[in-house]
Amino acid sequence: YWLEQPKKIYYVGEEFDYETGSVYGSGYENGIHWDIFSFAPLKLSDMNVDISDFDNTRPGTYAIRVTTHGGYDLSYMVYVREAE
């Protein structure tokens, strides 16, 4: 599983965007290629997204955790910066 193009830079006061980013899945197991949704990815809004570490009130680096419907866990970091 992998994430593609989630929004990674936010500015203080900006809300988390569930509409950016997609989850893809394919791989090999026991010599067999499986492809769950690499051609029809799921949006972050279709996943269980844990943003409990995300704090849009102060600059910092925060972990975002995504759990797919199959129970696979993915995570990535987002950055909150002062407004320009």
Side-chain angles (χ1 to χ4, degrees):
Y1 291 88
W2 65 94
L3 289 166
E4 183 176 287
Q5 300 176 344
K7 183 172 182 176
K8 293 186 176 184
I9 298 174
Y10 292 84
Y11 293 96
V12 171
E14 189 175 3
E15 296 298 321
F16 184 80
D17 185 354
Y18 289 93
E19 296 304 315
T20 62
S22 300
V23 177
Y24 294 78
S26 68
Y28 286 93
E29 186 174 333
N30 298 324
I32 298 171
H33 179 258
W34 55 269
D35 186 344
I36 297 177
F37 42 82
S38 66
F39 297 107
L42 298 172
K43 294 297 222 178
L44 284 182
S45 56
D46 296 326
M47 303 282 114
N48 179 11
V49 181
D50 178 1
I51 63 166
S52 60
D53 289 343
F54 180 73
D55 184 352
N56 67 347
T57 65
R58 60 188 172 111
T61 304
Y62 304 99
I64 305 298
R65 293 172 188 83
V66 179
T67 303
T68 68
H69 296 296
Y72 294 96
D73 294 320
L74 306 165
S75 64
Y76 66 98
M77 304 303 287
V78 297
Y79 309 94
V80 176
R81 297 181 177 167
E82 289 288 348
E84 296 177 346

